[in-house]
Amino acid sequence: MELPASRPDLVITDRYWASKAKLAHRLKEIEAPGACRHTIYLKPESVGKAGVDILLRRELDAATAALVGEVVRQVEESETGLVVFAMADTTIAVIPPFPVEEDAVFAGSETADLVEILEQELTIGVVLLRLGKFAVGVFEGGEMVASKSDSRYVKNRHRAGGSSQRRYERSRDRLVRELYDEAGEVTQRIFAPYEGRMDYILMGGEKHTLREFVERCEYVRRHQTKRLSRQLEVERPGHKALENIPYEIWKSRVLVFKAGV
């Protein structure tokens, strides 16, 4: 199947994270009469070449297919899919916090399915981790129903050379492993009662630390299919951070495209 013509003149003029409230305000603008020409929903596996094919199968006009096809090319991939609003002089792409379940194309603005994604009553497990601190929580419909946070001393990096540095680094590595093991035990204990109904797992903290933790924690790896790779922003893992984390959980990524800029 022939792909739509490329639109190299289409560029991203703005990108930002939108809270539920901020996105709701933007959707009101999109819903204004005559503001939006087409709305396209793409499942995660459709973002890419397959997504462009779907647009053609849905019989979008050639100009709109080229426009949205270029948006899809620039997004490249999304683990939660994509919602595209093709407007008169602007195209808005929304990467929602949780997956789009069905491909669909609508004439005009169709925000109901996106609002439904944002209003889902989900059970979500959260692990927040930085060296020295961790917090684990379970949220049902945005309400925290279980949590545990703790801290554990981890030495800073040692810059001296020689055998003393090697001893120091071995000691530090042991402390890091102990932190990961304790965080993993707490994660399993907090998550276990909710395993059967847990929809997603999200993690927040420093990227390298989280990667090492996942490599160390067999429990998290065992539930890998439920884990979204999006990283939650958190400075100091703890109970207070858990109380505020729903704001981060439900954020959407918004990209604004314009032609001929």
Side-chain angles (χ1 to χ4, degrees):
M1 181 178 290
E2 184 179 356
L3 297 177
S6 178
R7 284 288 304 271
D9 61 324
L10 196 69
V11 298
I12 297 173
T13 58
D14 195 12
R15 64 180 80 204
Y16 56 89
W17 288 99
S19 65
K20 271 188 180 183
K22 186 173 183 178
L23 185 59
H25 179 74
R26 195 68 192 255
L27 293 181
K28 289 294 183 184
E29 298 174 351
I30 292 170
E31 291 168 348
C36 183
R37 295 175 175 175
H38 290 89
T39 303
I40 300 92
Y41 285 80
L42 296 175
K43 299 181 295 185
E45 57 267 36
S46 298
V47 178
K49 181 179 177 181
V52 177
D53 290 344
I54 288 170
L55 297 179
L56 290 175
R57 290 198 298 272
R58 297 285 186 175
E59 297 182 352
L60 282 171
D61 63 88
T64 304
L67 178 78
V68 180
E70 185 61 29
V71 169
V72 172
R73 286 188 182 94
Q74 292 196 38
V75 172
E76 292 185 347
E77 62 180 25
S78 166
E79 66 178 344
T80 58
L82 190 65
V83 184
V84 181
F85 300 99
M87 306 173 74
D89 58 357
T90 301
T91 301
I92 298 173
V94 178
I95 301 174
F98 300 105
V100 173
E101 294 186 354
E102 296 293 338
D103 295 319
V105 176
F106 301 94
S109 63
E110 179 50 64
T111 62
D113 288 352
L114 178 55
V115 171
E116 185 176 341
I117 291 173
L118 298 174
E119 297 300 329
Q120 292 177 95
E121 295 289 325
L122 300 174
T123 299
I124 300 168
V126 173
V127 179
L128 308 178
L129 177 66
R130 287 185 177 273
L131 290 183
K133 294 179 179 295
F134 69 88
V136 180
V138 176
F139 295 82
E140 290 189 329
E143 178 183 354
M144 187 163 60
V145 294
S147 68
K148 170 67 176 177
S149 59
D150 207 345
S151 60
R152 194 179 185 96
Y153 174 69
V154 175
K155 299 175 180 179
N156 292 325
R157 291 282 182 188
H158 187 46
R159 297 187 179 278
S163 60
S164 63
Q165 179 185 9
R166 290 191 292 273
R167 287 195 300 272
Y168 186 95
E169 289 299 329
R170 285 196 297 270
S171 175
R172 183 180 184 278
D173 290 345
R174 174 181 56 79
L175 293 172
V176 171
R177 289 194 301 271
E178 290 174 355
L179 169 69
Y180 292 162
D181 290 345
E182 183 177 351
E185 290 170 5
V186 170
T187 298
Q188 181 168 354
R189 187 165 71 248
I190 296 298
F191 283 8
Y194 304 91
E195 277 183 16
R197 60 182 186 274
M198 189 171 291
D199 296 291
Y200 302 103
I201 296 172
L202 287 125
M203 305 179 72
E206 195 274 325
K207 185 176 182 179
H208 175 74
T209 300
L210 292 176
R211 184 175 65 251
E212 287 188 342
F213 169 69
V214 172
E215 291 173 354
R216 181 87 178 167
C217 182
E218 189 273 336
Y219 179 82
V220 171
R221 293 198 310 276
R222 195 164 72 240
H223 295 84
Q224 186 71 15
T225 57
K226 294 184 178 181
R227 187 166 72 91
L228 296 178
S229 63
R230 175 166 60 95
Q231 187 174 313
L232 303 175
E233 291 293 328
V234 60
E235 290 296 326
R236 293 177 60 83
H239 187 77
K240 185 66 174 178
L242 283 174
E243 289 179 332
N244 295 330
I245 210 66
Y247 180 84
E248 294 291 331
I249 290 173
W250 292 96
K251 278 184 176 179
S252 299
R253 186 67 166 157
V254 179
L255 306 174
V256 180
F257 294 80
K258 289 191 177 182
V261 177

